[in-house]
Amino acid sequence: MDKLMIDRLETVLARYMQIQHDLEDDNVIADIKKYTALSKEARQLEETTKAYIAYKNAQKTLQEARILSHESDMELVMMAQLEEEESLNKMAELEEKLKVLLLPKDPNDDKNVIMEIRGAAGGDEGNIFAGDLFRMYSRYAEQQGYRIEINDSNETEFGGYSLISFMIVGDGAYSKFKYESGAHRVQRVPRTEAQGRIHTSTATVLVMPEVDLGDTSLKMEDVTIEVYRSSGAGGQHINKTESAVRCIHEPTGIIVACQDGRSQHANKEKALQILAAKVQDYYVSQAEEKLGQERKIKIGSGERSEKIRTYNYPQNRVTDHRIGFTIQKLDRVMEGELQEIIDALTNEEQKEKLEAEM
């Protein structure tokens, strides 16, 4: 391990120990905001700190084993040599882990997620597949202990959605779902197909981190707000009160509607939050395109038109085209068992980041 890496790890360790000390201070405990912020920072540093302490312990064991290896007792020498080998292997393993842990963190990883799924090519079957994807993400979110909040939805006659917009609430949600933006393709016999032929249909997914309205450049003078009567399920007040809200960002033409909340105020607040996220995503993409920059060290561009994954029902196969990853577990994936795919995408991104740093 080089000196620069050790210096960085020592800084992390010192900061973690300082936070632990501060968290025991009565003044900090009394300040809920400060205590919460320090607790969150401690959680972010904890894994790196524990791995570095384990590395230092293995290093100490190695040094002790090397001293014992010069003893005259051959049995002791053999035990020391075995311990030396184990320590070296452990240190090598921990060093690789620490390299990954020291990589720059995506500042959005801890945020909630705003997602939109739309039925695309394939007509009714595309909409049905959009519903299947929503169910898949909902099940995975539930496994992770996250909460789903639906913002807007347009159900179709044969099932599924032409559009469903929702938020996934939970610590680290964006880090799990950020790779899902793009076009998802399904190959199967549609429910609406009488001849039993395999069709290819698509649904598009857009994933954005939740943004704080106060931290964005969204100007209210650029936003037109309209209210109208809700059209979906939601109780006796539906179609009787103008509780649904539509927000239009005039400079970009981006439109966001929200009608699943119980009040106009709640729908307006949520619609503005989603609008802010979409406008920010739009301007970031525009800036990158203007500068001629690709979204490097990322898995895919996140563009909706990019075909990222194919779900082949006849062969029970899921293929992620960005990293050439295939598993024969489509039935389980559609029940929310996405972790294996997400881990593969995360590992590939970390590998690309490490290569870029080197």
Side-chain angles (χ1 to χ4, degrees):
M1 190 182 293
D2 61 42
K3 186 179 182 303
L4 179 61
M5 187 172 174
I6 290 172
D7 288 345
R8 290 173 67 188
L9 288 166
E10 285 292 336
T11 300
V12 170
L13 177 60
R15 177 58 185 160
Y16 182 80
M17 298 307 292
Q18 180 61 52
I19 292 172
Q20 293 302 316
H21 178 267
D22 291 345
L23 288 172
E24 295 176 358
D25 188 293
D26 290 339
N27 292 325
V28 173
I29 294 171
D31 188 337
I32 298 298
K33 189 175 180 180
K34 188 172 183 179
Y35 186 85
T36 302
L38 286 173
S39 297
K40 183 178 180 180
E41 187 180 354
R43 287 196 300 273
Q44 292 170 342
L45 299 176
E46 186 174 22
E47 188 177 4
T48 305
T49 301
K50 286 184 175 180
Y52 182 47
I53 291 172
Y55 179 89
K56 292 179 78 169
N57 289 337
Q59 190 177 49
K60 183 179 179 182
T61 301
L62 173 65
Q63 292 168 350
E64 291 171 349
R66 282 177 171 170
I67 292 171
L68 288 174
S69 66
H70 293 96
E71 293 289 329
S72 57
D73 187 331
M74 287 307 297
E75 187 176 346
L76 195 61
V77 169
M78 289 177 66
M79 287 177 61
Q81 288 174 343
L82 184 62
E83 202 163 54
E84 181 178 346
E85 185 180 351
E86 289 177 353
S87 297
L88 284 169
N89 289 337
K90 189 172 184 179
M91 285 172 65
E93 183 182 324
L94 286 166
E95 183 172 351
E96 290 306 308
K97 181 179 182 178
L98 286 164
K99 283 178 182 177
V100 172
L101 290 170
L102 284 175
L103 288 171
K105 296 288 190 298
D106 185 332
N108 293 318
D109 273 355
D110 291 333
K111 294 183 178 180
N112 298 330
V113 169
I114 296 168
M115 291 185 74
E116 282 186 3
I117 306 175
R118 294 176 183 268
D124 292 327
E125 173 63 9
N127 295 333
I128 291 169
F129 182 50
D132 293 338
L133 289 177
F134 172 64
R135 179 175 178 272
M136 176 185 76
Y137 291 132
S138 297
R139 296 221 165 183
Y140 177 68
E142 184 181 349
Q143 292 168 17
Q144 301 301 307
Y146 299 151
R147 186 175 78 253
I148 297 283
E149 295 178 359
I150 296 176
N151 305 317
D152 190 22
S153 61
N154 295 323
E155 295 185 47
T156 58
E157 181 183 355
F158 292 99
Y161 303 93
S162 59
L163 161 71
I164 183 161
S165 170
F166 55 100
M167 185 176 289
I168 300 173
V169 181
D171 191 27
Y174 186 74
S175 69
K176 302 287 187 181
F177 290 91
K178 64 182 177 180
Y179 304 113
E180 297 304 304
S181 280
H184 294 243
R185 181 172 63 179
V186 63
Q187 294 172 329
R188 66 185 177 188
V189 178
R191 298 180 211 165
T192 53
E193 171 59 52
Q195 303 299 320
R197 295 175 298 180
I198 294 173
H199 285 220
T200 297
S201 306
T202 59
T204 59
V205 177
L206 176 63
V207 180
M208 300 168 290
E210 181 187 19
V211 298
D212 188 330
L213 281 172
D215 295 336
T216 69
S217 56
L218 185 69
K219 298 175 182 176
M220 290 309 298
E221 58 263 32
D222 292 335
V223 180
T224 298
I225 299 175
E226 300 173 351
V227 295
Y228 59 99
R229 291 184 179 181
S230 299
S231 58
Q236 295 180 351
H237 73 291
I238 293 301
N239 292 324
K240 293 182 180 180
T241 61
E242 294 188 334
S243 60
V245 174
R246 183 185 295 111
C247 293
I248 306 164
H249 187 248
E250 299 296 346
T252 62
I254 294 171
I255 301 172
V256 170
C258 190
Q259 63 171 331
D260 279 46
R262 281 290 182 177
S263 69
Q264 186 185 116
H265 175 75
N267 283 327
K268 178 183 175 182
E269 186 177 353
K270 194 167 283 188
L272 284 171
Q273 193 172 40
I274 297 168
L275 183 68
K278 295 187 80 168
V279 169
Q280 181 168 289
D281 182 71
Y282 171 84
Y283 283 129
V284 168
S285 300
Q286 290 290 304
E288 288 174 347
E289 187 177 333
K290 187 175 181 181
L291 293 170
Q293 296 176 342
E294 295 180 5
R295 295 186 181 185
K296 294 181 179 178
I297 320 172
K298 270 192 170 184
I299 302 300
S301 65
E303 296 296 329
R304 283 206 209 188
S305 59
E306 179 191 11
K307 287 186 177 64
I308 65 167
R309 197 174 295 150
T310 295
Y311 304 74
N312 185 296
Y313 274 72
Q315 297 178 25
N316 197 36
R317 185 184 71 225
V318 181
T319 299
D320 196 289
H321 304 293
R322 296 165 292 182
I323 59 174
F325 180 79
T326 297
I327 53 174
Q328 305 287 145
K329 300 176 182 177
L330 173 65
D331 52 341
R332 288 157 65 179
V333 168
M334 298 310 292
E335 290 299 316
E337 295 187 26
L338 278 169
Q339 196 59 53
E340 191 173 347
I341 298 174
I342 291 170
D343 286 343
L345 290 162
T346 302
N347 291 338
E348 184 63 25
E349 184 171 49
Q350 289 173 348
K351 178 183 170 185
E352 290 181 11
K353 283 182 177 179
L354 282 170
E355 288 174 355
E357 282 216 342
M358 290 173 65

